[in-house]
Amino acid sequence: MPRRDPRCGAASFWGMARSFLHGYCAEVRGLSPRTIEAYRMSLECLVTFIVSTGTRKAEITFDCLERSMLKQWIAWMREERGSSPKTMGLRLSAVKSFLRFCSEEDISLAGLYEGARAIKAPAAPRKPIEYLEADELAALLAASDGVTAKSRRNRAMLITLYETGARVSELTGILLGSLSLAKPAHVTLIGKGSKTRIVPVGARCAEHLRIYLDEFHPGGLRKDASRPLFYSLHAGMPTALSADAVSRVLKQAGDVAREKCPSLPEGLHCHLLRKTKAMDLYKAGVPLPLVMQLLGHESMSTTSSFYAFATVDMMQAAMEAATPKILQEASEWMSDEKMEVLYSLR
């Protein structure tokens, strides 16, 4: 469908939408299929709402995306669809991205984008981040006993998943050529939008990986840079593990570890190890910009919204550290000279 209505020359909603999804998102920005699908679902949700107001699909134009209509759409998602604040925020963000694209392609649509920019979705209640305590993490990483080759692979894989703070898709995408165990040891991860980042690997994790490489990538096999680091054999050929396979390994490790550490939560998921690594770094005093770089977050707000708060343990430690100093200062007699300096504007 053309991007302009041949009858009047105005920008066509359907033409722009298809150009946005199949051209701009896929070919220009190189977004993942899952991200493009999320954008498509958001636009279809908006279309469903517009149709519910009595407008036929063939009659939808950019006039239907005025600020007032978008505000009604948000109310409709909440009242008719029962959408959560998070879902409404994602839907609205996708439509804003679409309108920004349209405004850049056609200056006459800039007003629509400016009107949409100021709209805010209902705020979602902020929940404390979930992460594993030190004893829970230790029990989980030690759950694979190392008796079988598969168990040894799984142990090395979970240690690497935690150590690098990688997304599961980034872990399964690690190739031999992406890993360097020469000091300083590091691994190159391919994240969202095919963006790469280098993540350091600690000494203990590097030692686990050296042992793993000797068994699973012996001798000349290491010269094949395209060989997946963590794999299973299919028809005798090493094939990268799927995200589901890694999730199953984590779940099985959790079931074993829970026998020794009952506090380990049910429903373990790979992202929990990523959060745990980030929280461990944050609690150790690593600045948020570095945590952000490790995680591959594009926006500082993404990192700070998760990790920029003090845990109960951190607050307790701070209070205990401050208490003796407060008591000591309060017990000292303040001379007239000190009082004059304290209560002066000089």
Side-chain angles (χ1 to χ4, degrees), residues 38-265:
Y39 282 171
R40 184 190 63 78
M41 290 174 63
S42 296
L43 291 177
E44 286 190 345
C45 177
L46 177 59
V47 167
T48 300
F49 162 69
I50 294 172
V51 170
S52 73
T53 65
T55 302
R56 294 188 302 124
K57 282 188 175 183
E59 297 171 346
I60 294 178
T61 66
F62 279 101
D63 291 339
C64 301
L65 275 66
E66 294 283 353
R67 174 183 169 86
S68 59
M69 184 68 85
L70 294 180
K71 291 168 68 175
Q72 293 176 42
W73 173 49
I74 293 174
W76 175 82
M77 282 192 287
R78 181 180 59 248
E79 297 166 6
E80 300 296 329
R81 286 285 185 90
S83 300
S84 67
K86 181 178 181 180
T87 298
M88 288 186 282
L90 291 172
R91 295 280 185 261
L92 180 60
S93 177
V95 170
K96 286 181 180 180
S97 295
F98 168 61
L99 288 176
R100 180 177 59 194
F101 161 78
C102 294
S103 70
E104 292 170 351
E105 295 295 307
D106 189 329
I107 191 64
S108 68
L109 301 175
L112 284 179
Y113 172 55
E114 290 302 321
R117 283 182 63 186
I119 300 176
K120 296 185 181 297
R126 181 176 294 182
K127 298 179 181 178
I129 184 174
E130 296 179 344
Y131 61 96
L132 299 179
E133 298 292 349
D135 59 332
E136 296 171 336
L137 176 65
L140 180 65
L141 297 182
S144 299
D145 55 20
V147 172
T148 65
K150 189 174 182 180
S151 175
R152 293 190 289 275
R153 180 205 66 183
N154 293 345
R155 180 172 58 193
M157 183 170 65
L158 292 184
I159 289 173
T160 304
L161 182 63
Y162 164 74
E163 176 69 14
T164 60
R167 301 176 178 93
V168 65
S169 60
E170 295 169 346
L171 178 81
T172 58
I174 297 177
L175 307 176
L176 285 183
S178 308
L179 178 66
S180 173
L181 296 181
K183 291 185 179 181
H186 62 274
V187 62
T188 301
L189 301 178
I190 302 177
K192 292 183 176 180
S194 298
K195 295 180 180 178
T196 61
R197 68 181 187 280
I198 297 176
V199 176
V201 175
R204 294 180 65 182
C205 180
E207 186 57 32
H208 278 285
L209 286 173
R210 286 189 186 96
I211 296 171
Y212 169 79
L213 289 175
D214 288 340
E215 180 176 4
F216 287 84
H217 300 279
L221 293 178
R222 295 195 197 179
K223 296 180 181 179
D224 184 0
S226 62
R227 187 180 173 94
L229 177 62
F230 298 109
Y231 65 87
S232 60
L233 292 175
H234 291 276
M237 296 296 293
T239 304
L241 297 175
S242 67
D244 288 341
V246 179
S247 296
R248 284 194 299 271
V249 168
L250 180 62
K251 182 181 182 302
Q252 291 165 2
D255 292 340
V256 173
R258 211 168 284 112
E259 296 177 4
K260 295 183 178 180
C261 185
S263 65
L264 193 67

Side-chain angles (χ1 to χ4, degrees), residues 265-345:
E266 299 282 350
L268 289 175
H269 52 89
C270 295
H271 205 69
L272 186 59
L273 288 185
R274 178 172 159 87
K275 292 179 178 179
T276 300
K277 178 63 177 181
M279 181 56 74
D280 287 348
L281 290 171
Y282 177 63
K283 290 168 72 173
V286 176
L288 279 177
L290 291 182
V291 178
M292 170 184 174
Q293 185 176 350
L294 173 75
L295 297 177
H297 285 165
E298 289 188 356
S299 170
M300 184 65 181
S301 62
T302 306
T303 308
S304 60
S305 65
F306 281 111
Y307 307 107
F309 66 91
T311 64
V312 174
D313 290 341
M314 293 168 68
M315 288 189 286
Q316 182 68 33
M319 291 169 64
E320 290 176 356
T323 299
K325 184 178 178 182
I326 294 171
L327 293 178
Q328 182 181 2
E329 289 180 353
S331 64
E332 293 179 355
W333 178 259
M334 187 170 287
S335 65
D336 292 341
E337 231 177 80
K338 288 183 178 179
M339 290 281 286
E340 182 66 26
V341 172
L342 182 61
Y343 296 105
S344 171
L345 297 178

